[in-house]
Amino acid sequence: MKLHEYQAKEVLARFGVPVPRGRVARTPDEAEAIAKELGGRVVVKAQAHTGARGKAGGVKLAADPAEAKAHAANIIGMTLVTHQTGPQGLPVSSVLVEEAIDIEREIYLSVAIDNSPGMPVIIASAQGGMDIEEVAANTPDAIHKTWIDPACGFQPFQGRQLAFAVGLDGEHLNPASTLIGNLAKSFLDSDGSIVEINPLVVTKDGRLLAADAKFSIDESAEFRQQALAEQRDRSQEAEKELEAHDAGIQNYIKLDGNIGCLVNGAGLAMATLDAIKFAGGDAANFLDIGTANNPEAVVSALKIIGSDPDVKAVLINIFGGLARTDIIAEGAVQAINQGLVKQPVVVRLAGTNVEIGKQVLDDAGLDLGRADGFAEAARMAVEAAQNAKNAQNTQ
Amino acid sequence: MKLHEYQAKEVLARFGVPVPRGRVARTPDEAEAIAKELGGRVVVKAQAHTGARGKAGGVKLAADPAEAKAHAANIIGMTLVTHQTGPQGLPVSSVLVEEAIDIEREIYLSVAIDNSPGMPVIIASAQGGMDIEEVAANTPDAIHKTWIDPACGFQPFQGRQLAFAVGLDGEHLNPASTLIGNLAKSFLDSDGSIVEINPLVVTKDGRLLAADAKFSIDESAEFRQQALAEQRDRSQEAEKELEAHDAGIQNYIKLDGNIGCLVNGAGLAMATLDAIKFAGGDAANFLDIGTANNPEAVVSALKIIGSDPDVKAVLINIFGGLARTDIIAEGAVQAINQGLVKQPVVVRLAGTNVEIGKQVLDDAGLDLGRADGFAEAARMAVEAAQNAKNAQNTQ
Amino acid sequence: MGVLMDSNSRVVVQGFGGAGQREAKTSLAYGTQVVCGVTPGRGGQVIEGVPVLNTVREAVEQHGANVSLIFVPAPFAADAILEAADAEIPTAICITEGIPVLDMMRVKRALSTKVTRLIGPNCPGVINPAEQARAGIMPVDVYLPGNVGVISRSGTLVYEAVDQLTRLGIGQSGSVGVGGDPIIGTSQREALELFEADPDTAAVVLIGEIGGTAEQEAAEYVKQMSKPVVAFIGGATAPPGRRMGHAGAIIAGPAGTAAAKQQALREAGAEVVENPGEIGTTMQRVLKERGLA
Amino acid sequence: MGVLMDSNSRVVVQGFGGAGQREAKTSLAYGTQVVCGVTPGRGGQVIEGVPVLNTVREAVEQHGANVSLIFVPAPFAADAILEAADAEIPTAICITEGIPVLDMMRVKRALSTKVTRLIGPNCPGVINPAEQARAGIMPVDVYLPGNVGVISRSGTLVYEAVDQLTRLGIGQSGSVGVGGDPIIGTSQREALELFEADPDTAAVVLIGEIGGTAEQEAAEYVKQMSKPVVAFIGGATAPPGRRMGHAGAIIAGPAGTAAAKQQALREAGAEVVENPGEIGTTMQRVLKERGLA
């Protein structure tokens, strides 16, 4: 779960990481008032879950409160389109109004989970303000890492090590070490999955400030991060994905193809996208129904898939383990009988209770494509989609 | 550093360990007022750093506030003598006034450091209210232990395991497990060296309460436990030991013999007691001057030793490492010249700067016993003490 | 013999609720010794003929449990794994999904000095068809005793691979679902080591996924293996930057792509399958080529 | 050869203040390679001919440091030890006393998966007289090269034992002060293992103290040693229940008494000395009896 920049900075500030003075505004008047408080030049920044906001017109410098108000009026309500958002863009309903900073240097700083040692890793680079993956690819020596061992927690030497590595020595050594320790603490205490300060700036007057910040929370830990979970901004998430989330569906992601997929298990669901590709088609979505053992979840999932105008055919690919194929079959029959899926449907059932599941389908007397094998099912779905498209084109 | 029972209970309560309702009183009137507040039978408990207070008349049951006041009047100002305090006893300047509890069962519970694994150990026994060392010696199976791994911290299963082991199941399971977790947290967050609840009682009305509690803080961690360190009650510590502490002397403990000792290093200081014993004498104190490399600390130490009326002879046994023998020698000469040590003095110097140290003693022209060997020095000191005693007896 | 499970395995089910009871029943019917369940506070009950205890220690002391199968809900699962480790259970298999990553971080660090091997979490478990020993949630009907080991991050892809093998008459020595979470107890590489050491295994199917570098680490070990490995990497066609269910399945850097993983495995000598429908037929060919069929 | 220190030892001093500089000077004069000091923020200075660096990593990379001698003040000492471990220094020797016990708990747990061996804290360090290699605070004049190893919780008792040996003409292969704190990096037992494995050591003096059970654990190992052990337990006459300087030196339960420790060591085959003045003469007799003198 992602936080907005202003929310991320609130968390950081609470843990003692210095951030520019500023506040969020939801109206141009509020933006003007905040700019007055800050008493000088300010930056007005669109709050949306994407990077590269500047290029898209989402970040503006204002010389005075009046200009801040004008910028806010332009930005609030806009749809921000960047290479990260896709063509549909993201709505902007608030701006962060902050003191403008005179930048001396830009540093990169982040904390994330490193799977292999199973520990959080703190990453720093003197090449701040840039895409860190590019820096890592082009100049790996410019990336400095240290891991937080849960047996002893973050240690001050780790902060010093990184500070020296990115050239924050002299008067900056102690503030930088402390800042890095506080950043680590904010990550651990908030169940972070990633926190990134890019750039961390050294200002011309010698301060260290987190000029931009991203903070994502581990969704599995939301049960103990209530205050952060409540900050979720649903406007930043795709409507159908939210609908799926609310229906208790494990994971739904909209894709570009025309074959709607209902699969159990993330691995099989990914492999289903691959199999469709191999059969010459493209999936319209990724949907992991998980182990939801009730027909209602299946009905909800098929409703989401069936109502997607891009979907020309539906592939239900279930290998039952904890999930029972008979329950999936029941849900599928209900959804089709309720008219929620008008597209051709291919069903492949295997695993737990497969004989009962198949019987359910047989008994329903519906016109379904049926397959036993995985590749075969994918082929049939691609063919059905192609036929449906052709039929549509000839109409 | 030890806390009083009422202070220990304040810490425990802050971490969610249930304690009886009550407060500390420093006057009989206060005791009466608290008893009124509690509205019923109360216990009035002398606050002093010793166990076995009940037998010594330091714990009294009061049926009403008037009786509580009377008990408090008797207890406040008394000197509590138990087998733990020695014959001099400890002064009592306050009482804890608590609700009287109807006890169903008594449990033992503590947390301490287990050196060998290097982890805190939580100890529980169904045989509460008794001396745990006796229980351990007689019925080791009645002692249950679990260790807190710093890599993951206390885990709820550990609380359940101990709760089941001491018979706190059924309705008590969850409160007991939570209590044990909170106890562990209080220990870790306070830099405890030992925290002991003995007994933890199950009341007749089904509550779990820490009826008595001891809490000691790691003195090395006082720098980060300021609030607790400020609760130190100096009246509970021997005057000379405090004096030594204030003079920056590593460790001074008064003992029963007549040979005053000034040694560097705890190990050598203990071995010096042993060597004196082997030579037929008894040490008047344990004193580790540590690595204090200034003559003033030596002067302070010899002042404390010299003013002890039990001391008939003084043994200075120094093996210099970080500590420099010449500085010790200088301090010794100053103290003797200032008349702070009138008893006969035996000096044994070895190690760092020993030649300079010996020269300092030579130059001072004092009447000192001098030895190179350890056993020899002990023998000489015992002899000197014996001679001094004989001389005194014949006066 | 076999990997992690055999006829001497005595399974305790931690979190003996609906799913735990259902899977225990399936395992018992399969022929596995499910000796008890553990649900704190429910000690003394007997459910479906299986005694319920309060602690894992009791399961070890009273029933000789040596495998723990964990269904405890995510917020309490780390505690359950650590309880199994405290009781010195040799193998703990955690089915639970959605355990907070920082909980697993602490668990993994604590296990570094314990005897317990953790499989999972967020995994389908372990099965040995020849000895009817099952600790997991996998459907039993698709398995056939044989000499191919199957390793996967994903549960349903284990079943899929096994199904393809069985339909071709190729049996399995066992399957190990290592789990789809960012931090897991046993890596793909370690699972390969187990099958390499198992005399009943002749070849291994390794099913990886986009994201992370675990497949590259496994590939390093494939180089020194005596047994052939058929590998598939799921998510080759997934769009980058989206979290596809498994927390691992987000492409992070060039090492996380299917192409990078496929290349590492190919260079290590594994047979890499690109079409997930061809896992079984590829293994059939490899076994024939090596004279192992 | 020798234990932990030899002519290849390259010492970095962490916490290069007064005591660190003084002891570095003594070690340099003794013949030890003290290659640099580390004081964060003071990098670039040169003090008494010794370069000062900002981090231990630099000490390893730029000066090939392989032993760290730590004088960092107690509140920051745990961090210093962990920095040495992060830099993969093989041997870290911590002189600092008064480190909070819970800090050492975390350090010890973190070191469980690191290559670094910690000696101490609250210890006098390690010396190898034959190779003039010294990392510690011990007076050098009392040492004589030879074949007896000395192990002690207490610093001054190391010197005392060494002095008694030297006065009798018995040289030392080395001494290891394991430290007087409740939680230490290397136990008496582990120090015994080091001397048992050292070809230059013929016999060992082990100096324990009341409190804890470390001497009993050492006694378990004495049983399997090929080399004779002369043992002394300090504090036999100390009154119970008082903390005698060393945090360890408080009698906790019957195992903590000198009598219990002496008995365990005697039963394991060690020669137990009761009078601390007779450590040297006892070793003299033992060496003669075994034909090792």
Side-chain angles (χ1 to χ4, degrees):
Chain A
M1 183 212 125
K2 288 179 186 171
L3 297 181
H4 279 301
E5 178 191 5
Y6 80 90
Q7 296 164 329
K9 286 178 170 173
E10 282 169 8
V11 175
L12 291 176
R14 198 162 65 239
F15 284 91
V17 175
V19 299
R21 290 177 301 127
R23 275 209 329 279
V24 70
R26 297 181 196 284
T27 65
D29 287 344
E30 274 178 39
E32 184 183 27
I34 295 167
K36 263 185 200 149
E37 263 177 54
L38 296 174
R41 288 187 312 146
V42 296
V43 186
V44 181
K45 305 172 85 175
Q47 297 299 288
H49 289 176
T50 174
R53 289 167 297 170
K55 280 184 200 162
V59 180
K60 298 284 183 191
L61 188 67
D64 53 47
E67 203 183 343
K69 181 178 179 176
H71 287 318
N74 288 331
I75 294 173
I76 294 170
M78 82 186 283
T79 295
L80 203 63
V81 180
T82 74
H83 68 276
Q84 290 176 21
T85 61
Q88 76 285 2
L90 284 172
V92 178
S93 59
S94 61
V95 292
L96 175 57
V97 182
E98 273 186 349
E99 57 171 326
I101 298 165
D102 291 320
I103 295 173
E104 176 82 34
R105 285 186 57 203
E106 296 188 323
I107 310 284
Y108 174 91
L109 201 55
S110 70
V111 190
I113 296 288
D114 190 352
N115 295 3
S116 189
M119 294 180 187
V121 59
I122 312 178
I123 302 172
S125 173
Q127 301 189 27
M130 298 173 58
D131 178 343
I132 198 66
E133 296 202 5
E134 247 172 62
V135 175
N138 301 332
T139 50
D141 285 355
I143 304 277
H144 307 280
K145 295 182 178 181
T146 188
W147 287 262
I148 304 173
D149 183 346
C152 56
F154 174 87
Q155 293 290 322
F157 83 85
Q158 301 182 287
R160 295 196 301 270
Q161 211 169 66
L162 292 180
F164 283 122
V166 300
L168 291 174
D169 45 16
E171 55 167 347
H172 295 308
L173 177 61
N174 287 331
S177 308
T178 303
L179 186 155
I180 294 168
N182 290 341
L183 178 68
K185 193 164 166 41
S186 76
F187 178 89
L188 292 169
D189 282 21
S190 311
D191 275 296
S193 56
I194 187 162
V195 50
E196 187 179 71
I197 300 179
N198 191 18
L200 172 73
V201 304
V202 183
T203 64
K204 287 216 196 306
D205 56 352
R207 290 180 294 158
L208 288 170
L209 287 176
D212 196 1
K214 293 200 176 82
F215 213 125
S216 293
I217 310 300
D218 177 5
E219 302 202 0
S220 295
E222 280 183 15
F223 69 90
R224 63 187 179 202
Q225 298 289 350
Q226 282 304 331
L228 291 171
E230 281 164 17
Q231 296 194 35
R232 184 170 199 148
D233 179 356
R234 294 168 62 98
S235 78
Q236 301 294 307
E237 297 169 47
E239 199 184 327
K240 280 193 178 296
E241 295 178 15
L242 280 173
E243 201 180 314
H245 182 264
D246 292 346
I249 293 161
Q250 190 83 1
N251 206 324
Y252 170 91
I253 298 169
K254 181 75 184 92
L255 301 172
D256 294 335
N258 61 10
I259 298 170
C261 300
L262 188 161
V263 191
N264 68 320
L268 189 61
M270 272 196 292
T272 301
L273 309 191
D274 298 340
I276 288 171
K277 192 79 162 187
F278 261 89
D282 281 297
N285 65 273
F286 169 100
L287 189 152
D288 172 12
I289 191 84
T291 53
N293 266 329
N294 56 78
E296 292 73 28
V298 180
V299 170
S300 301
L302 284 173
K303 186 179 166 194
I304 291 164
I305 295 170
S307 62
D308 180 347
D310 294 340
V311 168
K312 302 297 170 216
V314 177
L315 170 55
I316 300 177
N317 184 19
I318 301 295
F319 213 124
L322 264 190
R324 285 166 48 189
T325 51
D326 54 327
I327 287 174
I328 306 280
E330 271 176 45
V333 169
Q334 283 178 28
I336 296 167
N337 283 338
Q338 289 170 31
L340 298 172
V341 185
K342 299 209 167 60
Q343 298 91 333
V345 176
V346 176
V347 187
R348 184 265 184 140
L349 300 182
T352 305
N353 288 2
V354 65
E355 294 314 321
I356 310 174
K358 286 180 175 176
Q359 191 63 51
V360 168
L361 296 182
D362 291 347
D363 293 351
L366 296 169
D367 179 25
L368 299 171
R370 301 275 290 272
D372 277 338
F374 182 13
E376 183 195 355
R379 264 195 310 274
M380 286 171 66
V382 172
E383 206 177 303
Q386 195 58 46
N387 292 343
K389 212 169 135 188
N390 293 346
Q392 215 169 22
N393 290 346
T394 56
Q395 274 173 357
Chain B
M1 184 212 123
K2 288 179 185 171
L3 297 181
H4 280 300
E5 178 191 3
Y6 80 91
Q7 296 165 330
K9 285 178 171 173
E10 282 169 10
V11 176
L12 291 176
R14 197 162 65 238
F15 284 91
V17 175
V19 299
R21 290 179 300 127
R23 274 206 333 278
V24 69
R26 295 179 197 285
T27 64
D29 287 344
E30 274 177 40
E32 184 184 25
I34 295 167
K36 263 185 200 149
E37 263 177 56
L38 295 174
R41 289 186 313 146
V42 296
V43 185
V44 180
K45 305 173 85 175
Q47 297 298 288
H49 289 176
T50 174
R53 289 168 297 170
K55 280 186 201 160
V59 180
K60 297 284 182 191
L61 189 66
D64 54 46
E67 202 183 344
K69 181 178 179 177
H71 286 319
N74 288 330
I75 294 173
I76 294 170
M78 82 185 286
T79 296
L80 204 62
V81 180
T82 75
H83 68 276
Q84 289 175 21
T85 61
Q88 77 286 0
L90 284 171
V92 178
S93 58
S94 62
V95 291
L96 175 57
V97 183
E98 275 186 350
E99 57 171 324
I101 297 164
D102 291 319
I103 295 173
E104 176 82 33
R105 285 186 57 203
E106 296 187 323
I107 311 284
Y108 174 92
L109 200 56
S110 70
V111 190
I113 296 288
D114 190 353
N115 295 2
S116 189
M119 294 179 186
V121 59
I122 311 176
I123 302 173
S125 173
Q127 300 188 30
M130 299 174 58
D131 179 341
I132 198 65
E133 296 202 5
E134 249 171 61
V135 176
N138 301 333
T139 51
D141 285 355
I143 303 279
H144 308 279
K145 295 182 178 181
T146 188
W147 287 263
I148 304 172
D149 183 346
C152 56
F154 174 87
Q155 293 290 323
F157 84 85
Q158 301 183 287
R160 295 195 301 270
Q161 210 168 66
L162 291 181
F164 283 122
V166 299
L168 290 175
D169 46 15
E171 55 168 348
H172 295 307
L173 178 61
N174 286 332
S177 308
T178 303
L179 186 155
I180 293 168
N182 290 341
L183 179 67
K185 192 162 165 45
S186 76
F187 178 89
L188 292 168
D189 282 21
S190 312
D191 276 296
S193 56
I194 187 160
V195 51
E196 187 179 71
I197 301 178
N198 191 18
L200 172 72
V201 303
V202 183
T203 63
K204 287 216 197 307
D205 56 352
R207 289 180 296 158
L208 287 170
L209 287 176
D212 196 0
K214 293 198 177 82
F215 213 125
S216 294
I217 309 301
D218 177 6
E219 302 202 359
S220 295
E222 281 184 16
F223 69 89
R224 63 187 179 202
Q225 298 290 347
Q226 282 303 332
L228 291 171
E230 281 164 17
Q231 296 194 36
R232 184 170 198 147
D233 179 355
R234 294 168 61 97
S235 77
Q236 301 294 307
E237 298 171 46
E239 199 184 327
K240 278 190 180 300
E241 296 179 13
L242 281 173
E243 202 180 314
H245 182 264
D246 292 346
I249 293 162
Q250 189 84 2
N251 207 325
Y252 170 90
I253 297 170
K254 181 77 183 90
L255 300 173
D256 294 336
N258 62 11
I259 298 170
C261 298
L262 188 161
V263 190
N264 69 318
L268 188 61
M270 272 196 291
T272 301
L273 309 191
D274 298 340
I276 289 170
K277 193 79 162 187
F278 260 90
D282 280 298
N285 65 274
F286 169 99
L287 189 153
D288 172 11
I289 190 85
T291 54
N293 265 330
N294 55 78
E296 293 72 29
V298 180
V299 171
S300 301
L302 283 173
K303 186 179 167 195
I304 290 164
I305 294 170
S307 64
D308 180 346
D310 295 339
V311 168
K312 302 298 172 214
V314 176
L315 171 55
I316 299 177
N317 184 19
I318 301 295
F319 213 124
L322 264 191
R324 284 165 50 188
T325 50
D326 53 328
I327 287 173
I328 307 279
E330 270 176 44
V333 168
Q334 283 178 26
I336 295 168
N337 283 337
Q338 289 171 28
L340 298 172
V341 185
K342 299 208 168 61
Q343 298 91 334
V345 176
V346 175
V347 185
R348 185 265 185 142
L349 299 180
T352 305
N353 287 4
V354 64
E355 293 314 320
I356 310 174
K358 286 181 176 177
Q359 191 63 50
V360 168
L361 296 183
D362 290 346
D363 293 350
L366 296 170
D367 178 25
L368 299 171
R370 301 276 289 272
D372 278 340
F374 182 15
E376 184 195 354
R379 262 196 311 276
M380 287 172 65
V382 171
E383 206 177 302
Q386 195 58 46
N387 291 343
K389 211 169 138 189
N390 293 345
Q392 216 170 22
N393 289 347
T394 56
Q395 274 173 358
Chain C
M1 280 302 295
V3 161
L4 298 172
M5 293 289 297
D6 60 26
S7 58
N8 296 316
S9 297
R10 298 174 66 81
V11 179
V12 49
V13 178
Q14 283 181 258
F16 203 51
Q21 291 169 24
R22 194 166 61 245
E23 298 302 329
K25 209 168 153 183
T26 305
S27 288
L28 281 165
Y30 191 54
T32 309
Q33 300 179 70
V34 179
V35 294
C36 56
V38 166
T39 301
R42 296 285 168 86
Q45 298 184 3
V46 176
I47 297 177
E48 303 260 8
V50 177
V52 183
L53 309 175
N54 283 323
T55 69
V56 181
R57 275 206 190 165
E58 289 171 339
V60 172
E61 287 164 8
Q62 296 171 21
H63 297 275
N66 53 23
V67 173
S68 176
L69 180 63
I70 301 171
F71 287 94
V72 171
F76 317 107
D79 180 51
I81 297 169
L82 290 165
E83 181 174 0
D86 178 72
E88 302 192 341
I89 291 263
T91 305
I93 298 167
C94 186
I95 306 304
T96 311
E97 61 182 291
I99 302 177
V101 180
L102 292 185
D103 282 8
M104 279 309 303
M105 166 189 82
R106 293 181 194 101
V107 166
K108 191 170 173 83
R109 190 63 174 87
L111 292 183
S112 67
T113 50
K114 301 278 187 188
V115 300
T116 301
R117 171 187 290 283
L118 172 67
I119 304 291
N122 188 12
C123 85
V126 177
I127 191 169
N128 177 338
E131 309 207 10
Q132 286 107 51
R134 171 187 185 265
I137 57 172
M138 62 286 282
V140 294
D141 296 345
V142 296
Y143 282 87
L144 182 73
N147 64 1
V148 173
V150 178
I151 298 168
S152 172
R153 281 206 216 177
S154 147
T156 42
L157 273 180
V158 169
Y159 318 156
E160 180 60 46
V162 166
D163 188 50
Q164 291 183 23
L165 292 170
T166 295
R167 283 169 187 274
L168 296 165
I170 304 169
Q172 304 88 40
S173 56
S175 75
V176 175
V178 295
D181 277 1
I183 300 179
I184 53 177
T186 296
S187 66
Q188 295 174 52
R189 182 198 162 109
E190 289 166 318
L192 281 175
E193 290 172 8
L194 294 174
F195 280 113
E196 172 75 1
D198 174 36
D200 292 345
T201 298
V204 185
V205 172
L206 176 69
I207 301 176
E209 262 173 31
I210 53 171
T213 58
E215 287 76 12
Q216 279 87 341
E217 289 155 25
E220 277 306 301
Y221 182 72
V222 168
K223 288 180 187 169
Q224 47 186 292
M225 281 178 72
S226 67
K227 302 175 183 178
V229 174
V230 171
F232 168 73
I233 304 296
T237 63
R242 301 302 304 267
R243 181 172 148 151
M244 293 269 170
H246 285 178
I250 175 167
I251 304 176
T257 62
K261 291 167 188 293
Q262 289 167 343
Q263 191 189 341
L265 285 159
R266 253 190 216 108
E267 285 173 7
E271 188 78 28
V272 175
V273 191
E274 298 203 17
N275 183 340
E278 295 172 4
I279 296 169
T281 51
T282 306
M283 179 54 87
Q284 189 177 41
R285 175 170 56 75
V286 167
L287 289 174
K288 263 187 205 144
E289 284 170 8
R290 307 273 185 126
L292 297 167
Chain D
M1 280 302 293
V3 161
L4 299 171
M5 293 288 295
D6 59 28
S7 58
N8 296 315
S9 297
R10 299 174 66 81
V11 179
V12 49
V13 178
Q14 283 181 260
F16 203 52
Q21 291 170 24
R22 195 166 61 244
E23 298 302 329
K25 209 169 154 184
T26 305
S27 287
L28 281 165
Y30 191 57
T32 308
Q33 300 180 72
V34 180
V35 294
C36 57
V38 166
T39 301
R42 296 286 167 85
Q45 299 184 2
V46 176
I47 298 178
E48 303 260 7
V50 176
V52 183
L53 309 175
N54 283 324
T55 69
V56 180
R57 274 205 190 167
E58 290 172 339
V60 172
E61 288 164 6
Q62 297 171 22
H63 297 274
N66 53 23
V67 173
S68 176
L69 180 62
I70 300 170
F71 287 95
V72 171
F76 317 108
D79 179 52
I81 297 169
L82 290 165
E83 181 175 359
D86 178 72
E88 303 191 343
I89 289 264
T91 305
I93 298 167
C94 186
I95 306 303
T96 312
E97 60 182 291
I99 303 177
V101 179
L102 292 185
D103 282 7
M104 279 310 302
M105 166 188 84
R106 293 182 193 102
V107 166
K108 191 169 173 84
R109 189 63 174 87
L111 292 183
S112 68
T113 50
K114 302 278 186 187
V115 300
T116 300
R117 172 188 289 284
L118 172 67
I119 304 291
N122 187 12
C123 84
V126 177
I127 192 170
N128 177 340
E131 310 206 7
Q132 284 107 52
R134 171 186 185 266
I137 57 172
M138 62 287 282
V140 295
D141 295 346
V142 297
Y143 282 86
L144 182 74
N147 63 4
V148 173
V150 178
I151 298 167
S152 173
R153 281 206 215 177
S154 147
T156 42
L157 273 181
V158 170
Y159 318 157
E160 180 61 46
V162 166
D163 188 51
Q164 290 182 23
L165 292 169
T166 295
R167 282 168 189 274
L168 295 167
I170 304 168
Q172 302 89 41
S173 56
S175 75
V176 175
V178 296
D181 277 2
I183 299 178
I184 53 177
T186 297
S187 66
Q188 296 174 51
R189 180 197 163 110
E190 289 166 316
L192 281 174
E193 290 171 8
L194 295 173
F195 280 112
E196 172 74 2
D198 173 36
D200 293 344
T201 298
V204 185
V205 172
L206 175 69
I207 301 176
E209 264 173 30
I210 52 172
T213 57
E215 288 77 10
Q216 279 87 340
E217 288 155 26
E220 276 307 301
Y221 181 70
V222 169
K223 288 180 188 169
Q224 46 184 293
M225 282 177 72
S226 66
K227 300 175 184 180
V229 174
V230 170
F232 168 71
I233 304 296
T237 63
R242 301 302 303 265
R243 182 172 147 151
M244 294 269 173
H246 285 179
I250 176 167
I251 303 176
T257 63
K261 291 166 187 294
Q262 289 168 342
Q263 193 191 340
L265 285 159
R266 255 190 215 107
E267 285 173 5
E271 188 78 27
V272 175
V273 191
E274 298 204 16
N275 183 339
E278 295 173 1
I279 296 169
T281 52
T282 306
M283 179 54 86
Q284 190 177 40
R285 175 170 56 76
V286 167
L287 289 174
K288 263 187 204 143
E289 282 169 9
R290 307 274 185 123
L292 298 166

